[in-house]
Amino acid sequence: MADLHRGDLSSHPDVSEMRDRYARVLGGRDVALVDGPVFLLGLYCAASPWILHYTASQPALVTHNLIVGIAIGLLALGFTRAPERMYGLSWAMCAMGIWMIIAPWIVGSRPDAGVIVNNIVIGALALVLGLVCAGTAAKSTPRP
């Protein structure tokens, strides 16, 4: 039986190549834990008009939240599928968060407190998650 030495790999002839490969595989996945919450936030944003029952009183906001929720969900899927290309769009998620905060007064027609609070919470969470993604992407981007 072969002698298997399970110790330090620093003397292995391919150690630098293995480190580079490991760095490439993990590169861009620093925000992997944010992908799921971003997707769930998009899902909730899209479904919130039916969850909070304001489909009849705010039809414009129903369409608005559905479209923005789908966009947030697609960003999350992009973050998961191609993180190195998509984390530059983290700032777009921050902008969508700010838009969600002000949208009840711009898109809606005299929204009630529940609709306003719902959009403010969704917007604040989108803004915070977008800032986390953008900060981590900026930190993990190699400098020339």
Side-chain angles (χ1 to χ4, degrees):
M1 178 158 248
D3 180 29
L4 296 176
H5 180 59
R6 297 184 193 267
D8 187 22
L9 289 176
S10 62
S11 62
H12 192 280
D14 296 328
V15 71
S16 62
E17 181 182 338
M18 289 188 294
R19 282 189 185 133
D20 291 342
R21 178 184 281 168
Y22 186 73
R24 276 193 317 269
V25 167
L26 289 181
R29 294 304 306 150
D30 296 337
V31 213
L33 294 176
V34 179
D35 298 353
V38 170
F39 183 75
L40 291 175
L41 180 68
L43 186 63
Y44 174 75
C45 180
S48 65
W50 291 275
I51 294 171
L52 297 179
H53 304 291
Y54 62 87
T55 54
S57 64
Q58 297 290 330
L61 272 175
V62 170
T63 306
H64 170 270
N65 281 18
L66 180 64
I67 291 170
V68 172
I70 290 170
I72 291 172
L74 288 174
L75 275 176
L77 291 175
F79 292 160
T80 302
R81 188 75 179 138
E84 62 281 348
R85 286 187 247 157
M86 291 295 292
Y87 281 127
L89 290 176
S90 302
W91 294 109
M93 195 161 118
C94 295
M96 283 195 289
I98 293 169
W99 172 250
M100 283 298 294
I101 292 172
I102 62 173
W105 294 282
I106 296 173
V107 177
S109 57
R110 296 188 354 209
D112 63 355
V115 173
I116 293 170
V117 169
N118 179 60
N119 275 32
I120 288 175
V121 169
I122 291 171
L125 286 172
L127 180 61
V128 167
L129 290 171
L131 288 172
V132 168
C133 288
T136 307
K139 185 174 65 173
S140 66
T141 302
R143 305 269 184 235

